[in-house]
PDB file of all heavy atoms in Angstrom:
ATOM      1  N   THR A  44     196.456-142.745 -15.811  1.00 98.00           N
ATOM      2  CA  THR A  44     196.593-143.761 -16.919  1.00 98.00           C
ATOM      3  C   THR A  44     197.959-143.445 -17.627  1.00 98.00           C
ATOM      4  O   THR A  44     198.650-142.545 -17.279  1.00 98.00           O
ATOM      5  CB  THR A  44     195.474-143.562 -17.929  1.00 98.00           C
ATOM      6  OG1 THR A  44     195.684-142.341 -18.702  1.00 98.00           O
ATOM      7  CG2 THR A  44     194.101-143.546 -17.321  1.00 98.00           C
ATOM      8  N   ALA A  45     198.195-144.286 -18.610  1.00 98.00           N
ATOM      9  CA  ALA A  45     199.432-144.167 -19.435  1.00 98.00           C
ATOM     10  C   ALA A  45     199.598-142.706 -19.996  1.00 98.00           C
ATOM     11  O   ALA A  45     200.692-142.228 -20.207  1.00 98.00           O
ATOM     12  CB  ALA A  45     199.512-145.194 -20.542  1.00 98.00           C
ATOM     13  N   ASN A  46     198.424-142.092 -20.231  1.00 97.00           N
ATOM     14  CA  ASN A  46     198.481-140.731 -20.789  1.00 97.00           C
ATOM     15  C   ASN A  46     199.317-139.827 -19.864  1.00 97.00           C
ATOM     16  O   ASN A  46     200.017-138.963 -20.357  1.00 97.00           O
ATOM     17  CB  ASN A  46     197.011-140.213 -20.863  1.00 97.00           C
ATOM     18  CG  ASN A  46     196.979-138.918 -21.514  1.00 97.00           C
ATOM     19  OD1 ASN A  46     197.655-138.576 -22.475  1.00 97.00           O
ATOM     20  ND2 ASN A  46     196.054-138.047 -21.068  1.00 97.00           N
ATOM     21  N   THR A  49     202.851-140.202 -20.551  1.00 96.00           N
ATOM     22  CA  THR A  49     203.327-139.442 -21.733  1.00 96.00           C
ATOM     23  C   THR A  49     203.566-137.966 -21.407  1.00 96.00           C
ATOM     24  O   THR A  49     204.427-137.333 -21.975  1.00 96.00           O
ATOM     25  CB  THR A  49     202.216-139.574 -22.805  1.00 96.00           C
ATOM     26  OG1 THR A  49     201.936-140.991 -22.972  1.00 96.00           O
ATOM     27  CG2 THR A  49     202.665-139.018 -24.159  1.00 96.00           C
ATOM     28  N   LEU A 156     190.481-138.248 -22.958  1.00 97.00           N
ATOM     29  CA  LEU A 156     190.922-139.287 -23.916  1.00 97.00           C
ATOM     30  C   LEU A 156     189.857-139.468 -25.015  1.00 97.00           C
ATOM     31  O   LEU A 156     190.140-139.561 -26.168  1.00 97.00           O
ATOM     32  CB  LEU A 156     191.166-140.597 -23.212  1.00 97.00           C
ATOM     33  CG  LEU A 156     192.090-140.542 -21.971  1.00 97.00           C
ATOM     34  CD1 LEU A 156     192.241-141.974 -21.374  1.00 97.00           C
ATOM     35  CD2 LEU A 156     193.466-140.005 -22.292  1.00 97.00           C
ATOM     36  N   THR A 159     189.783-136.597 -27.569  1.00 97.00           N
ATOM     37  CA  THR A 159     190.875-136.744 -28.576  1.00 97.00           C
ATOM     38  C   THR A 159     190.467-137.660 -29.587  1.00 97.00           C
ATOM     39  O   THR A 159     190.651-137.455 -30.786  1.00 97.00           O
ATOM     40  CB  THR A 159     192.144-137.261 -27.879  1.00 97.00           C
ATOM     41  OG1 THR A 159     192.540-136.327 -26.881  1.00 97.00           O
ATOM     42  CG2 THR A 159     193.281-137.400 -28.851  1.00 97.00           C
ATOM     43  N   SER A 181     198.262-149.943 -29.742  1.00 98.00           N
ATOM     44  CA  SER A 181     197.955-149.954 -28.287  1.00 98.00           C
ATOM     45  C   SER A 181     196.374-150.044 -28.158  1.00 98.00           C
ATOM     46  O   SER A 181     195.774-149.303 -27.356  1.00 98.00           O
ATOM     47  CB  SER A 181     198.499-148.778 -27.577  1.00 98.00           C
ATOM     48  OG  SER A 181     199.694-149.053 -27.009  1.00 98.00           O
ATOM     49  N   ALA A 182     195.848-151.029 -28.846  1.00 98.00           N
ATOM     50  CA  ALA A 182     194.388-151.141 -28.935  1.00 98.00           C
ATOM     51  C   ALA A 182     193.760-151.388 -27.512  1.00 98.00           C
ATOM     52  O   ALA A 182     192.558-151.121 -27.320  1.00 98.00           O
ATOM     53  CB  ALA A 182     194.000-152.327 -29.826  1.00 98.00           C
ATOM     54  N   SER A 183     194.563-151.743 -26.529  1.00 98.00           N
ATOM     55  CA  SER A 183     193.986-151.947 -25.132  1.00 98.00           C
ATOM     56  C   SER A 183     193.878-150.712 -24.367  1.00 98.00           C
ATOM     57  O   SER A 183     193.306-150.669 -23.306  1.00 98.00           O
ATOM     58  CB  SER A 183     194.817-153.032 -24.398  1.00 98.00           C
ATOM     59  OG  SER A 183     196.132-152.432 -24.158  1.00 98.00           O
ATOM     60  N   SER A 184     194.514-149.558 -24.906  1.00 98.00           N
ATOM     61  CA  SER A 184     194.500-148.274 -24.113  1.00 98.00           C
ATOM     62  C   SER A 184     193.134-147.666 -24.189  1.00 98.00           C
ATOM     63  O   SER A 184     192.346-147.920 -25.175  1.00 98.00           O
ATOM     64  CB  SER A 184     195.528-147.371 -24.685  1.00 98.00           C
ATOM     65  OG  SER A 184     195.218-146.835 -25.867  1.00 98.00           O
ATOM     66  N   LYS A 185     192.771-146.867 -23.255  1.00 98.00           N
ATOM     67  CA  LYS A 185     191.449-146.232 -23.201  1.00 98.00           C
ATOM     68  C   LYS A 185     191.184-145.294 -24.384  1.00 98.00           C
ATOM     69  O   LYS A 185     190.164-145.230 -24.964  1.00 98.00           O
ATOM     70  CB  LYS A 185     191.240-145.582 -21.871  1.00 98.00           C
ATOM     71  CG  LYS A 185     191.188-146.593 -20.763  1.00 98.00           C
ATOM     72  CD  LYS A 185     191.338-145.993 -19.335  1.00 98.00           C
ATOM     73  CE  LYS A 185     191.531-147.082 -18.359  1.00 98.00           C
ATOM     74  NZ  LYS A 185     192.784-147.817 -18.525  1.00 98.00           N
ATOM     75  N   THR A 186     192.302-144.649 -24.750  1.00 98.00           N
ATOM     76  CA  THR A 186     192.172-143.723 -25.918  1.00 98.00           C
ATOM     77  C   THR A 186     191.880-144.515 -27.190  1.00 98.00           C
ATOM     78  O   THR A 186     191.032-144.068 -28.030  1.00 98.00           O
ATOM     79  CB  THR A 186     193.429-142.909 -26.082  1.00 98.00           C
ATOM     80  OG1 THR A 186     193.845-142.395 -24.773  1.00 98.00           O
ATOM     81  CG2 THR A 186     193.252-141.749 -27.076  1.00 98.00           C
ATOM     82  N   THR A 206     197.676-154.999 -30.720  1.00 98.00           N
ATOM     83  CA  THR A 206     197.963-154.972 -29.277  1.00 98.00           C
ATOM     84  C   THR A 206     199.061-156.040 -28.998  1.00 98.00           C
ATOM     85  O   THR A 206     199.494-156.734 -29.876  1.00 98.00           O
ATOM     86  CB  THR A 206     196.728-155.246 -28.408  1.00 98.00           C
ATOM     87  OG1 THR A 206     196.992-155.063 -27.061  1.00 98.00           O
ATOM     88  CG2 THR A 206     196.191-156.655 -28.613  1.00 98.00           C
ATOM     89  N   SER A 207     199.486-156.090 -27.694  1.00 98.00           N
ATOM     90  CA  SER A 207     200.482-157.030 -27.312  1.00 98.00           C
ATOM     91  C   SER A 207     199.794-158.306 -26.976  1.00 98.00           C
ATOM     92  O   SER A 207     198.561-158.381 -26.695  1.00 98.00           O
ATOM     93  CB  SER A 207     201.222-156.495 -26.046  1.00 98.00           C
ATOM     94  OG  SER A 207     200.283-156.136 -25.068  1.00 98.00           O
ATOM     95  N   ASN A 210     197.650-158.516 -23.843  1.00 98.00           N
ATOM     96  CA  ASN A 210     196.378-157.830 -23.770  1.00 98.00           C
ATOM     97  C   ASN A 210     195.369-158.250 -24.878  1.00 98.00           C
ATOM     98  O   ASN A 210     194.289-157.705 -24.979  1.00 98.00           O
ATOM     99  CB  ASN A 210     196.551-156.332 -23.835  1.00 98.00           C
ATOM    100  CG  ASN A 210     197.266-155.855 -22.588  1.00 98.00           C
ATOM    101  OD1 ASN A 210     197.006-156.361 -21.501  1.00 98.00           O
ATOM    102  ND2 ASN A 210     198.137-154.856 -22.706  1.00 98.00           N
ATOM    103  N   TYR A 226     201.054-157.570 -32.237  1.00 98.00           N
ATOM    104  CA  TYR A 226     202.085-156.722 -32.977  1.00 98.00           C
ATOM    105  C   TYR A 226     202.843-157.584 -34.000  1.00 98.00           C
ATOM    106  O   TYR A 226     203.186-157.105 -35.082  1.00 98.00           O
ATOM    107  CB  TYR A 226     203.019-155.996 -32.038  1.00 98.00           C
ATOM    108  CG  TYR A 226     202.302-154.906 -31.262  1.00 98.00           C
ATOM    109  CD1 TYR A 226     202.280-154.924 -29.820  1.00 98.00           C
ATOM    110  CD2 TYR A 226     201.607-153.881 -31.871  1.00 98.00           C
ATOM    111  CE1 TYR A 226     201.616-153.998 -29.073  1.00 98.00           C
ATOM    112  CE2 TYR A 226     200.964-152.913 -31.173  1.00 98.00           C
ATOM    113  CZ  TYR A 226     200.957-152.917 -29.772  1.00 98.00           C
ATOM    114  OH  TYR A 226     200.308-151.936 -29.077  1.00 98.00           O
ATOM    115  N   ILE A 267     199.391-140.234 -32.448  1.00 97.00           N
ATOM    116  CA  ILE A 267     198.548-139.676 -31.410  1.00 97.00           C
ATOM    117  C   ILE A 267     199.165-139.861 -29.986  1.00 97.00           C
ATOM    118  O   ILE A 267     199.104-139.008 -29.171  1.00 97.00           O
ATOM    119  CB  ILE A 267     197.102-140.321 -31.411  1.00 97.00           C
ATOM    120  CG1 ILE A 267     196.544-140.166 -32.838  1.00 97.00           C
ATOM    121  CG2 ILE A 267     196.229-139.617 -30.423  1.00 97.00           C
ATOM    122  CD1 ILE A 267     195.150-140.663 -32.991  1.00 97.00           C
ATOM    123  N   GLY A 268     199.811-141.038 -29.796  1.00 95.00           N
ATOM    124  CA  GLY A 268     200.320-141.299 -28.436  1.00 95.00           C
ATOM    125  C   GLY A 268     201.652-141.993 -28.462  1.00 95.00           C
ATOM    126  O   GLY A 268     202.194-142.269 -29.522  1.00 95.00           O
ATOM    127  N   GLY A 269     202.159-142.329 -27.262  1.00 95.00           N
ATOM    128  CA  GLY A 269     203.481-142.917 -27.048  1.00 95.00           C
ATOM    129  C   GLY A 269     203.422-143.849 -25.825  1.00 95.00           C
ATOM    130  O   GLY A 269     204.321-143.693 -24.927  1.00 95.00           O
ATOM    131  N   THR A 270     202.520-144.772 -25.785  1.00 96.00           N
ATOM    132  CA  THR A 270     202.418-145.674 -24.606  1.00 96.00           C
ATOM    133  C   THR A 270     203.673-146.531 -24.414  1.00 96.00           C
ATOM    134  O   THR A 270     204.142-146.774 -23.352  1.00 96.00           O
ATOM    135  CB  THR A 270     201.195-146.648 -24.709  1.00 96.00           C
ATOM    136  OG1 THR A 270     201.277-147.340 -25.944  1.00 96.00           O
ATOM    137  CG2 THR A 270     199.905-145.939 -24.583  1.00 96.00           C
ATOM    138  N   HIS A 271     204.313-146.914 -25.575  1.00 96.00           N
ATOM    139  CA  HIS A 271     205.520-147.753 -25.514  1.00 96.00           C
ATOM    140  C   HIS A 271     206.702-146.776 -25.347  1.00 96.00           C
ATOM    141  O   HIS A 271     207.569-146.705 -26.225  1.00 96.00           O
ATOM    142  CB  HIS A 271     205.714-148.610 -26.788  1.00 96.00           C
ATOM    143  CG  HIS A 271     204.599-149.630 -26.967  1.00 96.00           C
ATOM    144  ND1 HIS A 271     204.669-150.634 -27.906  1.00 96.00           N
ATOM    145  CD2 HIS A 271     203.365-149.778 -26.351  1.00 96.00           C
ATOM    146  CE1 HIS A 271     203.537-151.360 -27.842  1.00 96.00           C
ATOM    147  NE2 HIS A 271     202.763-150.809 -26.901  1.00 96.00           N
ATOM    148  N   TRP A 272     206.681-146.017 -24.255  1.00 93.00           N
ATOM    149  CA  TRP A 272     207.631-144.876 -24.121  1.00 93.00           C
ATOM    150  C   TRP A 272     209.132-145.292 -24.170  1.00 93.00           C
ATOM    151  O   TRP A 272     209.936-144.491 -24.596  1.00 93.00           O
ATOM    152  CB  TRP A 272     207.342-144.084 -22.896  1.00 93.00           C
ATOM    153  CG  TRP A 272     207.471-144.798 -21.636  1.00 93.00           C
ATOM    154  CD1 TRP A 272     206.578-145.552 -20.972  1.00 93.00           C
ATOM    155  CD2 TRP A 272     208.670-144.848 -20.791  1.00 93.00           C
ATOM    156  NE1 TRP A 272     207.044-146.114 -19.788  1.00 93.00           N
ATOM    157  CE2 TRP A 272     208.358-145.722 -19.676  1.00 93.00           C
ATOM    158  CE3 TRP A 272     209.960-144.329 -20.874  1.00 93.00           C
ATOM    159  CZ2 TRP A 272     209.327-145.964 -18.694  1.00 93.00           C
ATOM    160  CZ3 TRP A 272     210.887-144.624 -19.883  1.00 93.00           C
ATOM    161  CH2 TRP A 272     210.550-145.473 -18.842  1.00 93.00           C
ATOM    162  N   LEU A 347     203.954-146.870 -15.242  1.00 98.00           N
ATOM    163  CA  LEU A 347     205.193-146.589 -16.019  1.00 98.00           C
ATOM    164  C   LEU A 347     205.793-147.819 -16.589  1.00 98.00           C
ATOM    165  O   LEU A 347     206.278-147.844 -17.742  1.00 98.00           O
ATOM    166  CB  LEU A 347     206.185-145.956 -15.005  1.00 98.00           C
ATOM    167  CG  LEU A 347     207.510-145.472 -15.560  1.00 98.00           C
ATOM    168  CD1 LEU A 347     207.321-144.262 -16.443  1.00 98.00           C
ATOM    169  CD2 LEU A 347     208.495-145.151 -14.398  1.00 98.00           C
ATOM    170  N   ALA A 348     205.677-148.934 -15.869  1.00 97.00           N
ATOM    171  CA  ALA A 348     206.235-150.248 -16.393  1.00 97.00           C
ATOM    172  C   ALA A 348     205.335-150.988 -17.291  1.00 97.00           C
ATOM    173  O   ALA A 348     205.648-152.014 -17.854  1.00 97.00           O
ATOM    174  CB  ALA A 348     206.633-151.092 -15.178  1.00 97.00           C
ATOM    175  N   GLY A 349     204.070-150.501 -17.485  1.00 96.00           N
ATOM    176  CA  GLY A 349     203.143-151.130 -18.375  1.00 96.00           C
ATOM    177  C   GLY A 349     202.626-152.403 -17.768  1.00 96.00           C
ATOM    178  O   GLY A 349     202.219-153.340 -18.447  1.00 96.00           O
TER     179      GLY A 349
HETATM  180  N1  LIG B   1     197.777-136.466 -28.610  1.00 88.14           N
HETATM  181  C1  LIG B   1     196.786-136.349 -27.795  1.00 88.14           C
HETATM  182  O1  LIG B   1     196.092-135.287 -27.713  1.00 88.14           O
HETATM  183  C2  LIG B   1     196.436-137.512 -26.838  1.00 88.14           C
HETATM  184  C3  LIG B   1     195.306-137.364 -26.006  1.00 88.14           C
HETATM  185  C4  LIG B   1     194.976-138.447 -25.187  1.00 88.14           C
HETATM  186  C5  LIG B   1     195.851-139.552 -25.164  1.00 88.14           C
HETATM  187  N2  LIG B   1     196.889-139.595 -25.934  1.00 88.14           N
HETATM  188  C6  LIG B   1     197.841-140.728 -25.792  1.00 88.14           C
HETATM  189  O2  LIG B   1     197.213-141.978 -25.955  1.00 88.14           O
HETATM  190  C7  LIG B   1     197.998-143.017 -25.297  1.00 88.14           C
HETATM  191  C8  LIG B   1     197.083-143.884 -24.473  1.00 88.14           C
HETATM  192  O3  LIG B   1     196.777-143.289 -23.190  1.00 88.14           O
HETATM  193  P1  LIG B   1     195.686-143.955 -22.224  1.00 88.14           P
HETATM  194  O4  LIG B   1     195.683-143.065 -21.044  1.00 88.14           O
HETATM  195  O5  LIG B   1     194.459-144.224 -23.001  1.00 88.14           O
HETATM  196  O6  LIG B   1     196.429-145.324 -21.817  1.00 88.14           O
HETATM  197  P2  LIG B   1     195.995-146.587 -20.936  1.00 88.14           P
HETATM  198  O7  LIG B   1     194.608-146.831 -21.064  1.00 88.14           O
HETATM  199  O8  LIG B   1     196.607-146.457 -19.567  1.00 88.14           O
HETATM  200  O9  LIG B   1     196.788-147.666 -21.787  1.00 88.14           O
HETATM  201  C9  LIG B   1     197.416-148.794 -21.301  1.00 88.14           C
HETATM  202  C10 LIG B   1     198.010-149.560 -22.455  1.00 88.14           C
HETATM  203  O10 LIG B   1     199.121-148.899 -23.083  1.00 88.14           O
HETATM  204  C11 LIG B   1     200.184-149.797 -23.367  1.00 88.14           C
HETATM  205  N3  LIG B   1     201.281-149.548 -22.447  1.00 88.14           N
HETATM  206  C12 LIG B   1     201.153-148.750 -21.335  1.00 88.14           C
HETATM  207  N4  LIG B   1     202.404-148.632 -20.707  1.00 88.14           N
HETATM  208  C13 LIG B   1     203.209-149.380 -21.456  1.00 88.14           C
HETATM  209  C14 LIG B   1     204.655-149.687 -21.271  1.00 88.14           C
HETATM  210  N5  LIG B   1     205.356-149.141 -20.325  1.00 88.14           N
HETATM  211  N6  LIG B   1     205.162-150.516 -22.195  1.00 88.14           N
HETATM  212  C15 LIG B   1     204.428-151.005 -23.207  1.00 88.14           C
HETATM  213  N7  LIG B   1     203.102-150.753 -23.357  1.00 88.14           N
HETATM  214  C16 LIG B   1     202.554-149.959 -22.522  1.00 88.14           C
HETATM  215  C17 LIG B   1     199.526-151.189 -23.251  1.00 88.14           C
HETATM  216  O11 LIG B   1     198.857-151.411 -24.468  1.00 88.14           O
HETATM  217  P3  LIG B   1     199.184-152.479 -25.629  1.00 88.14           P
HETATM  218  O12 LIG B   1     199.602-153.727 -24.917  1.00 88.14           O
HETATM  219  O13 LIG B   1     197.774-152.621 -26.331  1.00 88.14           O
HETATM  220  O14 LIG B   1     200.192-151.841 -26.509  1.00 88.14           O
HETATM  221  C18 LIG B   1     198.542-150.930 -22.095  1.00 88.14           C
HETATM  222  O15 LIG B   1     197.502-151.873 -21.976  1.00 88.14           O
HETATM  223  C19 LIG B   1     199.002-142.204 -24.456  1.00 88.14           C
HETATM  224  O16 LIG B   1     200.347-142.217 -25.049  1.00 88.14           O
HETATM  225  C20 LIG B   1     198.488-140.807 -24.450  1.00 88.14           C
HETATM  226  O17 LIG B   1     199.430-139.792 -24.291  1.00 88.14           O
HETATM  227  C21 LIG B   1     197.248-138.572 -26.753  1.00 88.14           C
END
Side-chain angles (χ1 to χ4, degrees):
T44 72
N46 186 37
T49 308
L156 310 179
T159 300
S181 265
S183 65
S184 71
K185 292 164 189 70
T186 314
T206 188
S207 52
N210 293 323
Y226 293 122
I267 307 180
T270 54
H271 297 192
W272 64 272
L347 186 69

